[in-house]
Amino acid sequence: MGFEFSREIKPSTSYYVAVVSVNFSIDYLLEHIDMCDDERIRFENITHENRKREFLGTRFAIKQLLGKEPYLLRDSNGKPHFQNLAIELSLSHCGQNLALIMHPYHDVGIDLQEVNNKVLLVAKKFLNEGELARVGSDREKATLYWSAKEALYKYYSRRQLSLKNDLQIVEKEEGRFIGVISNESHYEEVPLNWEWIGNFALVYTVKS
């Protein structure tokens, strides 16, 4: 059991990215974090053990990173935010791994996905025809595109957005990606940062 960094990114700009593994028992986590009333109510309504550990592990990890107790809530669209800190935040869970990005004021989005055999079977649900043609039978690229669209979805942070129809991944030179958010009420081009961490695709974006 423990708390371990897989990746930490501190660029010259003011955003912060980390991928950590949190592997503690529920009892241990409850002893080492504090929760506000709203958080405790949400926790008590969780029935699945893994979801309980994920809920607590997220707060434990952020406490270790920030050095202070985070009170983490969600707005009406499900976007996480701090009750007690003026920091923009996005989160992604994959197994025991937590990916997060924080910025003092810009919108952010992040996603972490592990490559698996199922991604090509469900690709038609989240990729448009052009993206499907570029991906072909490449599981790694399909996973990267999926992670990119999830990061865009979290960045936009509003519901009623189709991964397949409203979000596009545009490939540029030298392996760069741009995400396009396009629906009836909004159009935006967003730079995407990506890298591989072992068998995991990590994609994140910060509003420029």
Side-chain angles (χ1 to χ4, degrees):
M1 296 195 300
F3 174 79
E4 181 179 356
F5 279 99
S6 299
R7 187 76 169 95
E8 189 175 24
I9 303 170
K10 296 179 180 179
S12 57
T13 53
S14 53
Y15 70 84
Y16 173 83
V17 175
V19 179
V20 299
S21 175
V22 183
N23 185 18
F24 290 107
S25 69
I26 291 175
D27 289 341
Y28 179 91
L29 292 169
L30 283 170
E31 291 176 2
H32 288 82
I33 63 169
D34 185 28
M35 290 184 282
C36 66
D37 291 342
D38 287 345
E39 287 178 303
R40 190 163 295 280
I41 291 171
R42 285 183 58 208
F43 175 73
E44 290 173 352
N45 287 329
I46 299 173
T47 57
H48 197 285
E49 290 296 300
N50 287 339
R51 282 286 295 116
K52 286 184 176 182
R53 189 175 290 107
E54 180 182 286
F55 184 94
L56 297 173
T58 298
R59 285 149 180 81
F60 178 86
I62 294 174
K63 180 179 179 179
Q64 304 308 304
L65 296 172
L66 295 180
K68 60 181 67 177
E69 203 76 54
Y71 296 138
L72 187 60
L73 307 178
R74 291 186 180 271
D75 65 16
S76 59
N77 291 312
K79 180 183 179 180
H81 65 93
F82 293 115
Q83 182 190 64
N84 57 330
L85 299 170
I87 298 174
E88 294 296 323
L89 169 75
S90 182
L91 303 169
S92 180
H93 298 90
C94 192
Q96 293 180 344
N97 298 293
L98 166 68
L100 62 88
I101 182 170
M102 294 183 285
H103 193 284
Y105 47 86
H106 281 325
D107 292 331
V108 291
I110 196 167
D111 192 70
L112 184 71
Q113 296 286 341
E114 185 175 15
V115 177
N116 62 65
N117 293 324
K118 296 180 180 179
V119 65
L120 292 175
L121 299 177
V122 298
K124 289 183 178 180
K125 295 182 178 181
F126 62 87
L127 297 180
N128 61 41
E129 292 301 321
E131 292 162 344
L132 284 169
R134 293 200 300 272
V135 164
S137 59
D138 189 332
R139 291 186 308 158
E140 286 76 16
K141 179 170 279 192
T143 303
L144 189 61
Y145 273 39
W146 187 5
S147 188
K149 291 203 172 190
E150 291 287 353
L152 280 173
Y153 188 94
K154 295 171 186 176
Y155 165 85
Y156 185 63
S157 69
R158 296 171 182 83
R159 298 187 187 275
Q160 307 302 321
L161 196 66
S162 166
L163 293 183
K164 180 175 182 177
N165 300 316
D166 299 334
L167 302 177
Q168 302 174 42
I169 307 302
V170 179
E171 293 192 28
K172 297 293 187 178
E173 67 280 358
E174 299 178 352
R176 293 190 304 112
F177 288 158
I178 289 179
V180 178
I181 304 169
S182 179
N183 59 23
E184 293 181 355
S185 60
H186 187 84
Y187 181 89
E188 185 176 0
E189 296 184 0
V190 182
L192 296 168
N193 303 284
W194 65 274
E195 63 180 84
W196 289 100
I197 303 175
N199 203 38
F200 294 85
L202 173 69
V203 183
Y204 58 93
T205 186
V206 181
K207 185 177 180 66
S208 57

